Amino acid sequence: MRQFIVVGHDVSPDADISLDDLPGAGRFDVLCRSVTAGLLTSHGIRTDALVHLVIDDAVTITVDGASVRRLNPDERSTAALLRGALEEREEAIGHQPVESSPGVELRRRGLEATLDAVAASGDLIVLDEDGDPAPSVQPPEDPVFVLSDHHDFTEDERTVLAQHDATPISLGPQALHGDQAITVAHNWLDTGGFERY
């Protein structure tokens, strides 16, 4: 299983998200692109992948490639799925999820609780420009990649990641957008560490 945890800093869980202005909703477009990069291939979907969007350190939306329906490659339809999850947030009780549509769940938990929940299911990897180069690292069997949106991780977030023993890995010499980093991470895994094509 491949998992991606994307930390969104500017989106508010109770934001009025307009499908006509996704950047204006706290760069909701960045989160939408991360979901499509994490789950979609050219003509299919990665059924062995999950994307967790941590929004404002208050709620986490999880999109499961094995069961999601109506996920298309355009930002607008992805935004509609995610907005639907946020609209159901009052139904989530504690850490019990609410399923807003097949394969899309929302939980009331922030980054630390999300890391606690997934840490046992794989190896935590922080996608970080200053990490070890990916080609020098053996790709893990069940990676859990953690990355930030268009902002750097805060000091508090870095502390939480360090407490969870997340391994920093760099995907190359150039800083990438989050969705691009997810695509490169998939390629790293798909090619056995960039060794076979």
Side-chain angles (χ1 to χ4, degrees):
M1 176 67 71
R2 302 173 184 187
Q3 299 184 66
F4 296 88
I5 299 174
V6 183
V7 179
H9 294 96
D10 291 343
V11 178
S12 170
D14 57 0
D16 183 15
I17 296 170
S18 168
L19 298 181
D20 295 322
D21 183 18
L22 297 177
R27 293 308 310 265
F28 203 59
D29 57 318
V30 172
L31 301 182
C32 295
R33 286 196 298 273
S34 296
V35 169
T36 57
L39 299 179
L40 295 182
T41 60
S42 180
H43 294 288
I45 192 162
R46 293 182 183 270
T47 58
D48 63 342
L50 295 169
V51 177
H52 310 277
L53 304 175
V54 179
I55 296 176
D56 198 32
D57 205 30
V59 299
T60 297
I61 299 173
T62 298
V63 186
D64 185 344
S67 55
V68 69
R69 300 291 176 264
R70 299 183 303 280
L71 179 64
N72 298 301
D74 64 290
E75 287 178 19
R76 188 180 176 92
S77 65
T78 302
L81 283 176
L82 300 178
R83 182 177 71 176
L86 289 174
E87 289 171 349
E88 296 291 322
R89 69 189 174 284
E90 297 302 326
E91 302 301 318
I93 301 171
H95 291 234
Q96 293 300 311
V98 59
E99 185 177 54
S100 58
S101 63
V104 181
E105 294 182 339
L106 179 140
R107 289 176 174 81
R108 290 182 176 275
R109 62 184 183 202
L111 176 61
E112 186 167 10
T114 298
L115 291 172
D116 289 343
V118 303
S121 62
D123 298 304
L124 286 177
I125 297 172
V126 180
L127 296 181
D128 189 325
E129 298 169 55
D130 298 323
D132 292 331
S136 70
V137 178
Q138 178 68 32
E141 198 67 31
D142 295 300
V144 180
F145 296 100
V146 187
L147 60 153
S148 187
D149 56 8
H150 58 294
H151 293 293
D152 291 337
F153 289 113
T154 66
E155 286 305 313
D156 287 346
E157 290 164 351
R158 289 191 180 280
T159 298
V160 168
L161 290 166
Q163 290 170 345
H164 284 80
D165 296 322
T167 303
I169 290 181
S170 172
L171 297 175
Q174 291 289 336
L176 301 172
H177 289 286
D179 59 307
Q180 295 170 333
I182 290 171
T183 300
V184 173
H186 271 310
N187 182 256
W188 179 54
L189 298 173
D190 291 343
T191 59
F194 304 131
E195 291 185 359
R196 65 174 186 276
Y197 286 85

